[in-house]
Amino acid sequence: MTSIPASVLLACAAFFLGACSQQKPAAPRAPEAVRAVSVARVESRALAGAASASGLLVAREEAAVGAEHAGVRVLRVLVEEGAQVRAGQPLAVLDDALLRERLSQQRAQTANAVIEAERMRGLDGTGVMSEEEIGRRRSQARVAQAQLRELETQLQQMTVRAPVSGVVIERAARPGSLSGGEPLYRIVRDNLVELDAEVPEAAILDIEVGQAVETTLADGKTFAGRVRLVSPRIDPKTKLGRVRVALPADPDLRVGGFARAVFASRSAPVAAVPEKAVRFEAGGPQVTLIDRDDRARSVAVKTGRRSAGMVELLQGPPVGSRVALAGGAFLIDGDRVKPELATASPAPALSPAPSAAER
């Protein structure tokens, strides 16, 4: 076997060493990009204002005041619309001239009948007059007295009086007009006005008597109310139910006015995140979760109710987890971020403490 000269081996070694010495060193690895992202925590809270409705202001109890006798002319009107009246206060006076004439005649007839009945005293069983005649004259006296009392009552009814205390919201009585038909006055009893709200069928199931309600008028003024009555009936055409909301007595509450109601939530606290944290993809709603290593990861969620900029998470990260807000849409799973906690949401959370292990 032919041996390679030593000089050739040395030359080859020198060539390879020179080639290795001419190779460039490896480039340093570029630092990982870190993006600042606003984050918020999954909070536990009761979502307020779960249901809202609108409707008209109505009288809690409305007294329709009419005359006891139809066809009697109105003589004087004593009270105008908008007046505050008390129970028993005169409202109008009817023409009682004809009735007074009848009353005068009846008083004379009654007086004669009573005198005749008095003459029968002590004649019972004497034979001077038959028992039948004695009984007839006594009966005539009683009938005449009853007729007199009836006419006196009718005379009192010629003055129309308020049956309840409250504010007069309508006056139909006019001097010279005849009584009968429509009521002469309408009165809101004790000035109590309430909201007759129309509530969707799905929302009325969460409303109960005594529940707090914030009622807002057309001019923006608000009143604190309470649910007084929940109708057991749903309109088959509109699918709306009626709810009566009791309100405090106030002159700004006018019958027939429009108002809107927001019903306080009765639900238990739920997991919720700001609406900005939820994005909608082809596969459904998702949030970008920021884990303990400040890395982003998309997580599918199931959402529920919304209120005051918050949305309920029926399924998703646990309470205390960090989620990216609007910037999460530009993150890829595994991206490292610099979390910046956003300002607190409008309503205070019930349990803001973070979870022990964020995923």
Side-chain angles (χ1 to χ4, degrees):
M1 185 175 183
T2 305
S3 61
I4 300 175
S7 58
V8 175
L9 294 175
L10 292 174
C12 291
F15 175 81
F16 285 112
L17 289 174
C20 292
S21 64
Q22 292 177 2
Q23 290 183 354
K24 294 181 181 180
R29 186 176 181 181
E32 185 178 3
V34 178
R35 175 181 295 180
V37 176
S38 294
V39 300
R41 292 193 181 277
V42 180
E43 302 176 355
S44 178
R45 63 163 63 197
L47 296 183
S52 62
S54 59
L56 298 179
L57 297 174
V58 298
R60 178 170 181 175
E61 288 186 9
E62 182 179 287
V65 187
E68 295 287 341
H69 305 280
V72 182
R73 195 171 302 278
V74 177
L75 192 62
R76 295 194 305 276
V77 175
L78 306 179
V79 170
E80 294 296 330
E81 189 173 301
Q84 291 286 339
V85 297
R86 63 184 183 278
Q89 178 178 335
L91 304 178
V93 176
L94 306 181
D95 188 355
D96 60 359
L98 181 61
L99 183 59
R100 287 185 179 277
E101 181 65 25
R102 290 177 55 196
L103 183 61
S104 178
Q105 296 175 2
Q106 186 62 41
R107 282 172 176 165
Q109 293 176 6
T110 301
N112 291 334
V114 170
I115 291 174
E116 289 296 321
E118 286 293 324
R119 289 176 180 175
M120 300 299 102
R121 182 177 298 177
L123 297 181
D124 297 272
T126 61
V128 176
M129 187 174 292
S130 67
E131 296 296 327
E132 180 180 349
E133 181 64 18
I134 293 174
R136 186 182 66 80
R137 294 189 181 186
R138 288 174 176 172
S139 177
Q140 286 179 341
R142 289 193 296 270
V143 172
Q145 289 174 330
Q147 292 175 342
L148 178 60
R149 288 193 298 269
E150 181 180 357
L151 289 175
E152 290 174 341
T153 300
Q154 292 180 9
L155 182 63
Q156 294 176 356
Q157 293 170 345
M158 292 298 101
T159 299
V160 180
R161 299 179 182 274
V164 297
S165 298
V167 60
V168 177
I169 59 171
E170 184 179 340
R171 174 180 74 88
R174 301 288 186 273
S177 63
L178 296 179
S179 62
E182 66 179 358
L184 299 178
Y185 291 90
R186 294 186 184 276
I187 301 174
V188 177
R189 183 172 187 173
D190 298 328
N191 298 346
L192 293 179
V193 175
E194 61 187 20
L195 175 62
D196 183 15
E198 293 184 325
V199 182
E201 179 182 7
I204 202 170
L205 299 177
D206 292 328
I207 297 175
E208 64 179 10
V209 174
Q211 190 171 343
V213 183
E214 183 182 77
T215 303
T216 304
L217 304 186
D219 62 358
K221 188 172 183 180
T222 61
F223 294 87
R226 293 277 178 184
V227 175
R228 184 181 69 83
L229 177 67
V230 179
S231 174
R233 179 178 178 272
I234 300 295
D235 189 293
K237 295 181 179 179
T238 64
K239 297 303 179 182
L240 297 174
R242 310 194 79 86
V243 175
R244 286 292 188 101
V245 179
L247 299 169
D250 191 284
D252 287 339
L253 296 172
R254 301 175 183 272
V255 172
F258 174 84
R260 184 168 183 81
V262 176
F263 298 85
S265 174
R266 301 188 297 109
S267 63
V270 297
V273 295
E275 290 181 335
K276 295 179 180 179
V278 182
R279 67 182 190 278
F280 293 88
E281 305 288 347
Q286 295 183 353
V287 298
T288 299
L289 182 67
I290 308 301
D291 63 18
R292 291 181 299 178
D293 297 327
D294 294 338
R295 292 192 180 275
R297 180 164 58 89
S298 294
V299 176
V301 296
K302 183 178 180 180
T303 60
R305 294 169 296 166
R306 296 171 182 264
S307 174
M310 301 293 288
V311 58
E312 177 186 7
L313 294 184
L314 299 176
Q315 294 179 3
V319 172
S321 301
R322 296 179 300 174
V323 292
L325 297 181
F330 303 99
L331 297 175
I332 302 175
D333 283 3
D335 281 355
R336 184 180 291 277
V337 299
K338 179 183 178 182
E340 295 179 354
L341 194 63
T343 56
S345 51
L350 298 180
S351 302
S355 60
E358 297 169 322
R359 296 176 181 76

